[in-house]
Structures are given as structure tokens and as C-alpha cells.
Amino acid sequence: MDWIVIVDDDFDNLTRVSSILAKEGMKTTTLSSGIRLIDYLEGMTPLPDLILMDVIMPEKSGLETLSEIRNRYGESFNVPVIFLTGDEDLSTEMKGLNLGAADFVRKPFYPETLILRIRKTIELSRLQRTLAKEVDNKTKENTRLTLHVVQTLAKAIDAKDTYTNGHSDRVANYSREIAKRLGYSEKEQDEMYMIGLLHDVGKIGVPDQIINKTDRLTDEEFEEIKKHPTTGHKILKTIKEMPQLAYGARWHHERIDGRGYPDGLKGNEIPEEARIIAVADAYDAMTSNRSYRKVMPQATVREEIIKGKGKQFDENIADIMIDMIDSDTEYTMREITKEENISAKYSAEETVNRIDVNPELPIQLSEIEMIDTNLGLFLCGDIEDYLEALSIFNDSIETKSNKIEEALAARDIETYTTLVHSLKSSSRTIGAVDISNLAKALEKAGKDKDIETIISETPKLLAMYRDLGNPLSSIIN
């Protein structure tokens, strides 16, 4: 059943439009202002199929309402909006379309025309969402495949060097942690991980006898070693979808003071991805076994990172590595034995698991008594959509709770009723049946102007609502 939210300050218009849509088998929710629509959408899951909104309303016009919604939710707000207007001004229509409105229907309108436009708009919106989801799933599948290929290639690179077993994976993990502490998104952290895995891909072109030589390298041999960044860049630059791979390979041996190779870049001329790899690579070199020495003591490694600040290393990134060292009280960030690797091997799979196209439901959810996960999964359709609904619901708990309290304190029963109605719907969607049932009872009390019931039962509703936020936050976040 299509669900339409109708927003109009004119009660007669609300009633008429709602009646027209109901006769066509559509579910309707009526709101009297743009402000109430904004309150209603807070934490709402699932969102309605379409919003039908008047342009000219007191307090906040339809255009201002849509603008605020866009600013608040950005691209994640994909509900089509059709404006109802008696305004013949073309500039109004242009402003609405620029804000992302799907259509304009002029008053007075023919019911048949209104229904046709609504259905066509909903049909197009659903098609777009379906296509977007398919594209997203295919992208995840391709990324997963790419990552497996990258990991296999990284192992092949490491296999050339007898003394750097697991080097690429360790550099990748250190780089991802640095990126995380720099504030990178999860997607950017995953990209940083892949950049780290392939930073030494150019060593494929270096003869094995030079890579594995235990004696001091001659000047000519060292020049051969120094070619691996440019070789790696040539290999990876054809991957146009992720140019950062080539950046990491080419410039991870550059230095902040300009004395690195192959191009002698300095300071911020060096891409940040390469500056991250430079620190991670140097750290792993010092914390790995070599033919001429064992793993260096942690205190010595820390001192060397400090010495390199502003010379070899970006100061900010070096400071992050120092913090990582200081947090590693057991000195586990180093080359480990095969026995130790059994317990550590899963770290290399974190990126794969995060982009898995078949997400799993956290087992802890089934332990929350207030949530019926089976109902939530049924109503949301799949695990991914259910987890997204839980996240949206959880993020809005404090804001919506405060708004309900404010509306009750001001005896603004219309706003109060709108808010508990929204809570009723979204809590049922995630399987929080008790909260939904109590919100439904308080919605009825609001419509009946039953102040006594509202005052006595609202604290219980908000306590349940907020109590659910504690376990949800620990699982979802």
C-alpha cells in the first residue's frame, strides 16, 4: 500500500486530498505544517513513499521546509516531494525543482490527474532506489573480489623477499589504523588498507638476488631497488577508479625534507596517502626480523620515529604512530611467529568482512528484550535494511525524546500527537512492540485531548525509549 504524507495548513484541503487518496487504496498521514513534518520525520523508519505538500503555509513555507529537510538529511533523503500550489509564478516552481521537488500540481486540480502523477512519481522513485541498491550490491561484490586479488598479489610480492614475510599486510593494517585516527571514513580506511597492500608492487620488477642479498648492496644494486616505486606506479596507474593506489606505490619513499625518491617531493607536495605509508613502512622495517638484525626494541623504534619527525616523516602522522606505539604495551605491532600468526590472521580479513554483501545480524540484538528481531526483519525485508532502520531509530532517540517533553511542557498537543505517532510507526518497524503500543495509546490520547493520560503515561514511554538506546548504541555504533 502506498503511503502518502499530506502537509497543508488548510484543514479542508487536508480532508479532501486525504479522502481522494484513500479511495484509491492509499494510506495517508495528515500534518498541518512544515514544522510538524520536520518533527515527524525525525528518526522515522521507514519513510513514506511520497510527500504531498502545500507551498504557501504560515511559519515555514513548503519550499523552506524542503530546504531544511535537504540540509538536515542530504542525499540520504530520497522521498519524492510533490508540491500543491495555486501560485502561477514560474520562479516558485523553479526554486522547488532546484531543491529536488519531483513535481508541481496546481490548484484546483482534477483528482484523476493528482492520482496519476502520484503513482508515476512513486513508481519512478522505487525504480531508482532498486537500481541504486543493485549498483551498490554489485560495487560491493566487485570491491570484495578486487580485495582478494590485491591480497593475493601482496602475498606474491612478499614471497619474493625471504626477510619480509607479511610486510605488505602489516603496513596495510598500520596504515588503516593511522587513517582511522586521522578521521577517515570506513570506506577511506578500506582504500588506505589496499594502498598499503600494494605499496611495494613494483618489487616484482627487481631481481630476486638483489632483494634477498644478505650483504651490503652495491650502488648499482641500490639503484635497482630504488626503481620499484616508479615500476609500481606504472603497474597501478591504469586503475583509474582508485588513483591513490599509484600514489602510495610511487611516493612512499619520499621524505618531508625533500631528500627522498623517486621525485624529491617535500612537505605537502607528497600525497597524504603516501605520507601515511611512509611512516607505516618505516615502522614495519624496524619491527621486523632482517638477515643482519632481529626486531628492534620498541623504545628504540619510538625514538627513531621521533627523530624522523619533520625530516623523514609528516609530523602529525608520526605523532599518531607514536600514540599507537604507546598504546601497544605488549609490543604486538611487529613481525610475529607462525604460532602467533594463527591468532592474528583474522585482522587481515576485517576489510573483507566489512564490505561483505551478506551482512550478519549481531547476536547481541537477540538479547535485547524490548526488540523482536524477527518482526523487525520481516517488516524491513532484509538484514541490511533492518540494521539501517535500527541505526536511524537509535540516532534520533535523544532528539525526539526532548521534543516530546518540550511539546508536553508547552501543552502543544498537536505537535505531541505528531511526535508519538511517528514514534509508534518507527518503533514497530524495528520490532520494539511495547514502545509502539504505548505510543499508539498516547497518540489516541492526544487526538482525544486526554491530558490526564498523556501526563501520567508519557514518562513511562520516554523511559522505555531512552532505555532502549543504551544497548542499541553499543551494538549499532
Side-chain angles (χ1 to χ4, degrees):
M1 180 185 293
D2 295 335
W3 174 27
I4 319 299
V5 172
I6 310 164
V7 187
D8 200 319
D9 62 306
D10 188 308
F11 178 76
D12 291 339
N13 285 341
L14 278 179
T15 304
R16 177 174 179 247
V17 174
S18 181
S19 176
I20 291 171
L21 301 187
K23 288 177 182 177
E24 295 296 321
M26 298 180 183
K27 172 187 173 183
T28 63
T29 297
T30 57
L31 302 172
S32 62
S33 72
I35 292 174
R36 286 185 171 78
L37 173 64
I38 292 169
D39 288 340
Y40 184 75
L41 293 175
E42 183 73 52
M44 171 58 69
T45 179
L47 290 168
D49 295 299
L50 183 138
I51 295 171
L52 195 60
M53 182 160 50
D54 192 18
V55 173
I56 301 175
M57 294 184 289
E59 296 180 306
K60 195 179 288 288
S61 72
L63 296 178
E64 291 170 336
T65 300
L66 181 56
S67 177
E68 183 168 335
I69 290 171
R70 292 291 184 201
N71 289 336
R72 182 173 299 192
Y73 300 106
E75 295 299 321
S76 65
F77 185 79
N78 56 12
V79 180
V81 175
I82 293 179
F83 279 117
L84 289 172
T85 179
D87 193 344
E88 297 290 339
D89 186 359
L90 182 60
S91 65
T92 299
E93 188 167 337
M94 292 301 297
K95 289 176 183 176
L97 293 174
N98 284 332
L99 287 170
D103 203 353
F104 273 75
V105 175
R106 301 202 178 279
K107 302 176 185 177
F109 55 81
Y110 291 106
E112 295 82 1
T113 301
L114 178 65
I115 294 298
L116 182 61
R117 290 195 174 187
I118 287 174
R119 283 186 169 153
K120 289 294 184 183
T121 301
I122 291 175
E123 182 181 333
L124 177 60
S125 176
R126 284 179 178 157
L127 178 60
Q128 290 171 333
R129 288 199 296 270
T130 299
L131 289 174
K133 193 165 187 176
E134 284 298 316
V135 169
D136 184 55
N137 285 339
K138 289 299 180 184
T139 300
K140 287 179 180 178
E141 290 175 5
N142 291 338
T143 303
R144 182 181 175 86
L145 177 61
T146 299
L147 183 55
H148 278 303
V149 172
V150 167
Q151 287 176 322
T152 301
L153 183 56
K155 289 177 182 177
I157 298 164
D158 286 354
K160 283 177 65 70
D161 191 340
T162 308
Y163 302 104
T164 58
N165 181 45
H167 169 70
S168 296
D169 189 59
R170 290 192 299 274
V171 170
N173 276 299
Y174 302 152
S175 299
R176 179 168 55 190
E177 179 62 25
I178 292 170
K180 179 180 179 181
R181 296 185 183 213
L182 281 170
Y184 283 32
S185 67
E186 281 198 352
K187 180 176 181 294
E188 291 167 334
Q189 291 171 41
D190 291 342
E191 290 174 351
M192 196 66 238
Y193 176 79
M194 285 195 278
I195 295 168
L197 279 177
L198 291 181
H199 76 283
D200 269 346
V201 69
K203 285 186 177 179
I204 287 176
V206 180
D208 289 359
Q209 62 268 27
I210 294 179
I211 288 180
N212 292 303
K213 185 177 181 180
T214 56
D215 299 331
R216 182 182 178 86
L217 295 175
T218 66
D219 290 342
E220 291 79 11
E221 289 169 337
F222 186 57
E223 287 302 316
E224 283 295 316
I225 288 285
K226 288 172 65 176
K227 291 178 182 177
H228 82 271
T230 52
T231 302
H233 180 261
K234 289 177 183 177
I235 293 171
L236 298 175
K237 70 179 181 179
T238 57
I239 305 177
K240 304 298 183 183
E241 296 80 7
M242 197 172 170
Q244 303 96 316
L245 289 174
Y247 300 164
R250 185 178 184 94
W251 292 308
H252 68 279
H253 282 296
E254 299 289 355
R255 293 171 51 109
I256 293 298
D257 59 12
R259 295 170 56 203
Y261 63 89
D263 300 312
L265 301 183
K266 60 182 179 180
N268 290 338
E269 293 175 354
I270 308 168
E272 187 168 67
E273 295 89 351
R275 283 180 271 147
I276 291 173
I277 297 293
V279 174
D281 188 39
Y283 175 85
D284 188 66
M286 290 185 282
T287 56
S288 300
N289 290 303
R290 291 292 186 269
S291 60
Y292 50 88
R293 63 155 172 79
K294 296 293 184 181
V295 172
M296 294 171 64
Q298 190 181 42
T300 304
V301 176
R302 187 182 190 280
E303 184 179 345
E304 290 299 316
I305 296 292
I306 292 174
K307 286 181 181 178
K309 284 175 59 175
K311 299 174 184 177
Q312 183 177 354
F313 309 126
D314 178 292
E315 291 196 29
N316 185 33
I317 295 171
D319 284 337
I320 290 174
M321 178 55 79
I322 292 166
D323 285 341
M324 289 167 60
I325 293 171
D326 292 342
S327 300
D328 183 25
T329 56
E330 300 296 322
Y331 198 13
T332 58
M333 288 199 313
R334 58 181 173 81
E335 183 181 358
I336 54 180
T337 64
K338 290 182 179 179
E339 291 75 17
E340 291 172 315
N341 192 48
I342 293 174
S343 61
K345 65 181 179 180
Y346 299 104
S347 64
E349 295 300 316
E350 289 178 1
T351 304
V352 178
N353 292 337
R354 187 157 47 245
I355 62 174
D356 200 328
V357 294
N358 296 308
E360 294 183 358
L361 199 65
I363 189 66
Q364 301 95 318
L365 279 176
S366 62
E367 299 170 358
I368 302 178
E369 294 182 359
M370 283 193 285
I371 293 183
D372 181 346
T373 54
N374 289 327
L375 176 61
L377 283 169
F378 173 75
L379 294 174
C380 291
D382 59 37
I383 290 177
E384 191 170 7
D385 287 345
Y386 183 40
L387 291 174
E388 182 180 3
L390 285 167
S391 179
I392 293 170
F393 181 90
N394 180 65
D395 289 345
S396 70
I397 288 177
E398 197 55 36
T399 301
K400 182 161 279 187
S401 296
N402 292 338
K403 285 184 176 181
I404 290 173
E405 288 177 333
E406 291 167 3
L408 179 56
R411 293 298 188 269
D412 183 353
I413 302 305
E414 185 179 356
T415 297
Y416 173 89
T417 305
T418 298
L419 290 165
V420 294
H421 172 65
S422 173
L423 178 54
K424 173 196 73 175
S425 301
S426 56
S427 56
R428 176 171 171 73
T429 299
I430 67 163
V433 179
D434 291 341
I435 294 176
S436 180
N437 288 340
L438 183 51
K440 180 179 180 180
L442 287 171
E443 179 190 8
K444 183 178 185 302
K447 292 177 179 178
D448 295 341
K449 302 296 190 292
D450 183 357
I451 303 299
E452 183 177 344
T453 298
I454 291 173
I455 292 174
S456 65
E457 293 297 312
T458 298
K460 179 181 177 182
L461 174 70
L462 294 180
M464 293 169 64
Y465 189 27
R466 284 172 168 145
D467 285 348
L468 181 55
N470 294 326
L472 264 186
S473 294
S474 63
I475 297 169
I476 301 300
N477 298 332

